[in-house]
Amino acid sequence: MEVIVPFSTDRPKSRLSGVLSTDERRAFARAMLDDVLDAVAAAGGDPRVLATGPVDVDRPVTVDDRPLTDAVNAVLDARLGADGEDGAETVGSTDPVAVAMADLALATPAALDRLFAAGRDADVAVAPGRGGGTNAFVASHPEFRVDYHGASYLDHREVAAEIGADFAAVDSHRLGTDVDEPDDLAEVLIHGEGRAATWLRRAGFVLDASDGRVTVARE
């Protein structure tokens, strides 16, 4: 299964600017990207990076500097179906295509395999994020398109209903945890098994439960 992994090269993980420098955010984002690509490949997927700028990885890379929604929909147009010049729909491949965000630092082959299996059974399968976003999905319905603004999981569920697509939700802590805020780093230190967790530890981050809740501190 082809798996598109969107990756921002221009402003990587800007919401971590309070705890990481620009260079550190760039290195940490790259570590997470590599973890996701490895997990996708180990799950039997064919990972392809969709980046806002050039990135040196041992995987196919497409550069598209448009907003995320536009860039992903261009991929879906090409893979699943697009409107021809006369307005008629031209149907692409019936094989499902997946999209998994590059900041899913907890993703494992087993978690992705669950998503892929759900996407083979349903027209659209979505792994929602903790805040109602869409962290990963598989789609085979030619009319399915994305809108990543706001609580996009709810929007995508509604889109599936409007086009008559079978919909499956994949409840997964590992796929539901995207790393955007400083508090998310604790999840990586607790559950992470790859490069991103190793990078944080080498950078001096440790778990801190001194105030009664688990956060991170830097030594």
Side-chain angles (χ1 to χ4, degrees):
M1 181 182 299
E2 186 177 37
V3 184
I4 308 303
V5 182
F7 180 68
S8 174
T9 61
D10 48 356
R11 296 182 59 199
K13 298 291 108 186
S14 58
R15 282 184 277 177
L16 295 176
S17 60
V19 294
L20 296 175
S21 69
T22 300
D23 287 344
E24 287 175 329
R25 294 198 309 273
R26 190 171 288 117
F28 181 56
R30 175 55 190 269
M32 290 193 291
L33 170 64
D34 288 340
D35 281 343
V36 172
L37 295 176
D38 286 351
V40 168
D46 178 18
R48 298 170 179 267
V49 179
L50 177 65
T52 58
V55 56
D56 183 17
V57 293
D58 189 24
R59 304 288 180 183
V61 177
T62 298
V63 175
D64 190 332
D65 62 1
R66 289 178 292 178
L68 179 62
T69 293
D70 295 335
V72 171
N73 279 337
V75 172
L76 296 180
D77 285 344
R79 303 302 191 275
L80 300 180
D83 290 335
E85 294 181 359
D86 59 357
E89 184 179 88
T90 59
V91 178
S93 171
T94 57
D95 294 332
V97 60
V99 174
M101 295 301 154
D103 61 356
L104 302 184
L106 306 188
T108 62
L112 287 163
D113 188 62
R114 282 185 56 214
L115 175 69
F116 297 165
R120 294 185 186 99
D121 292 337
D123 297 324
V124 179
V126 175
R130 291 175 300 175
T134 299
N135 285 358
F137 72 86
V138 179
S140 58
H141 196 290
E143 296 178 56
F144 181 75
R145 298 296 180 271
V146 298
D147 183 351
Y148 282 107
H149 299 97
S152 61
Y153 167 72
L154 298 177
D155 294 335
H156 293 151
R157 189 173 65 183
E158 183 176 343
V159 168
E162 289 174 351
I163 63 177
D166 294 330
F167 182 87
V170 179
D171 184 10
S172 168
H173 173 255
R174 289 191 171 275
L175 299 183
T177 303
D178 50 331
V179 180
D180 284 321
E181 307 287 350
D183 285 350
D184 298 331
L185 301 181
E187 293 294 321
V188 181
L189 288 175
I190 294 169
H191 302 288
E193 301 173 356
R195 293 178 178 85
T198 298
W199 189 94
L200 287 176
R201 295 186 182 101
R202 288 177 176 171
F205 285 92
V206 295
L207 294 170
D208 180 7
S210 60
D211 63 354
R213 68 188 187 95
V214 178
T215 58
V216 295
R218 199 165 192 177
E219 295 179 324

